[in-house]
Amino acid sequence: MLATGTKATATPAADSRDAEVGLLWKRITGPLEGFLDQVSAHLVGQVRSFDPELTGLAEYTLQGTGKQLRPTLVGLVGQALGGTTEEHVRVAVIIEMIHLATLVHDDVMDEASLRRGRLTVAARWGNETAVLFGDCLFAQALVQAASFPTPEVCRTVAQATQVVCTGEILQTRYRRDFERSRHSYRRILEMKTGELFALACELGAWCSRAPAGVREGLRRFGLAFGTAYQLYDDCLDLLGEEQRAGKSLGTDLAKGKLTLPILLAWERADARDRSRLERWIREWHPQYLPRLRQLLDRYQALPGALAEVHDHLTRAGRELAHLPAPVQKEGLRAAAEFLARQTDNLTTPG
């Protein structure tokens, strides 16, 4: 039952599942520990190249880098293709700076106060500073991309950044518009989140000098994996607990963003419930959340949304299966399994 979903996450069984998923993540990243340490050190070096007045702000931002999913994908791709190099570290740093920039800007647009258990840059330093600092991160990422001897990296990074920003614009444009959002939602997910995961896999393969067919297959894996991750995150925004998630929850609802569970409920609802749902989203207040969860439960919106996460992960697995035998796929498969288990942990036992 959705109505009791957040209570279920606090049970010992849920804690046990979380611990199991955490151990899986450590097994995935363990062989990449040295690589990820280099990425972190290079990130620190990049932000310390900013004006000294920004040092405290920059270091604060880096302290909340989370699981470093995108650098991890770069490393896993490098590992699958023979090992990581200094170039893999550099592209991982570039992609992580772009990702951090989007988070800083997202928190401004969403008026979010928490990110990874701490005050957001906007909440601590104000919106103006946050927007401009996000711009600094974007610019520094492009400076580093331009330092490669070929323009291909800079061009690919710039194109991906444009796609991400376009996806965010479209999502903002379609707020509270159920008809437009229903047709555009999946495309927007691929653009605003899937694209950076795809970029991580594509450039990781480029650094390994993989042939074009392998690069394209890994890019498609990253796109499917990243889209699945955003679907999972959209479910977490509705069903998680803020303390456990480490970020402000319910911001999608407050800003009128229509995510998959909401859209599925709306598609399946009768006229009366559609009207109620539209009114809640138009005039959102946290007191509506229990009733919203009951409505989602009535129309089985959570199982439908979680099934789509698994569908995208299955698609990602198919892309790996099509890669030639010399590619060592175990780490990438484990990353998909990690997300599948996280997704399953959002369900309520029994």
Side-chain angles (χ1 to χ4, degrees):
M1 297 287 288
L2 286 184
T4 59
T6 52
K7 291 182 181 178
T9 61
T11 64
D15 289 340
S16 175
R17 292 196 304 271
D18 287 346
E20 182 182 347
V21 171
L23 287 173
L24 174 60
W25 184 248
K26 288 181 180 179
R27 286 198 296 270
I28 293 168
T29 58
L32 295 173
E33 185 175 354
F35 170 79
L36 293 174
D37 285 346
Q38 289 183 64
V39 172
S40 297
H42 278 65
L43 273 170
V44 170
Q46 289 301 311
V47 300
R48 284 181 178 169
S49 70
F50 292 175
D51 188 284
E53 292 282 347
L54 301 182
T55 299
L57 169 59
E59 292 183 347
Y60 180 85
T61 304
L62 292 185
Q63 288 167 11
T65 51
K67 287 187 172 65
Q68 292 185 297
L69 283 172
R70 294 148 195 85
T72 297
L73 280 179
V74 174
L76 289 173
V77 167
Q79 192 179 58
L81 295 170
T84 57
T85 66
E86 179 64 22
E87 285 188 343
H88 288 92
V89 174
R90 290 168 64 192
V91 299
V93 169
I94 290 166
I95 294 168
E96 188 69 358
M97 281 196 291
I98 293 171
H99 172 56
L100 289 172
T102 65
L103 294 184
V104 171
H105 284 172
D106 281 354
D107 290 337
V108 173
M109 293 188 294
D110 294 343
E111 300 177 15
S113 59
L114 287 178
R115 168 72 65 178
R116 292 165 184 154
R118 306 181 314 143
L119 288 176
T120 62
V121 173
R124 183 162 175 176
W125 280 278
N127 286 344
E128 292 179 350
T129 295
V131 169
L132 293 170
F133 181 66
D135 292 345
C136 286
L137 288 169
F138 274 129
Q140 186 67 8
L142 291 176
V143 167
Q144 292 306 303
S147 70
F148 280 82
T150 169
E152 184 174 356
V153 174
C154 192
R155 180 169 56 248
T156 304
V157 168
Q159 288 172 343
T161 303
Q162 182 187 55
V163 169
V164 171
C165 293
T166 300
E168 290 287 358
I169 290 169
L170 292 177
Q171 183 176 64
T172 300
R173 180 177 294 177
Y174 299 152
R175 286 175 180 173
R176 302 181 179 87
D177 187 336
F178 281 84
E179 283 292 348
R180 295 289 291 277
S181 293
R182 184 165 62 98
H183 297 295
S184 304
Y185 174 74
R186 291 163 182 84
R187 174 173 173 250
I188 288 171
L189 291 195
E190 288 188 352
M191 296 175 74
K192 78 186 194 82
T193 301
E195 183 64 26
L196 281 189
F197 283 76
L199 180 67
C201 293
E202 180 181 6
L203 286 184
W206 180 87
C207 292
S208 296
R209 306 298 184 261
V214 172
R215 292 202 306 268
E216 291 164 7
L218 285 166
R219 174 181 168 78
R220 289 192 296 270
F221 165 82
L223 191 65
F225 181 85
T227 303
Y229 181 80
Q230 186 60 56
L231 283 164
Y232 159 79
D233 201 56
D234 287 349
C235 293
L236 181 65
D237 191 72
L238 283 168
L239 301 165
E241 286 184 330
E242 191 161 287
Q243 184 176 2
R244 293 169 67 87
K247 65 175 185 175
S248 297
L249 297 177
T251 55
D252 289 338
L253 296 168
K255 302 303 290 187
K257 294 181 182 179
L258 303 178
T259 54
L260 186 60
I262 300 294
L263 291 170
L264 287 177
W266 185 83
E267 288 176 4
R268 299 169 180 178
D270 58 30
R272 179 172 175 270
D273 280 340
R274 274 194 178 187
S275 178
R276 293 170 67 200
L277 184 55
E278 291 172 5
R279 177 172 58 83
W280 290 340
I281 298 299
R282 187 173 59 250
E283 306 167 355
W284 179 253
H285 189 281
Q287 69 185 19
Y288 297 148
L289 186 57
R291 282 179 285 173
L292 173 63
R293 284 175 169 159
Q294 290 173 357
L295 190 147
L296 295 175
D297 187 40
R298 184 177 308 141
Y299 294 104
Q300 291 292 289
L302 176 62
L306 296 181
E308 190 150 335
V309 178
H310 285 292
D311 286 346
H312 278 82
L313 291 174
T314 298
R315 186 181 309 171
R318 284 199 298 267
E319 294 297 343
L320 290 180
H322 292 154
L323 294 174
V327 180
Q328 301 298 311
K329 310 164 190 177
E330 291 77 10
L332 293 166
R333 285 199 183 106
E337 174 63 20
F338 164 78
L339 181 53
R341 293 195 190 181
Q342 274 197 314
T343 301
D344 291 340
N345 282 359
L346 281 180
T347 62
T348 306

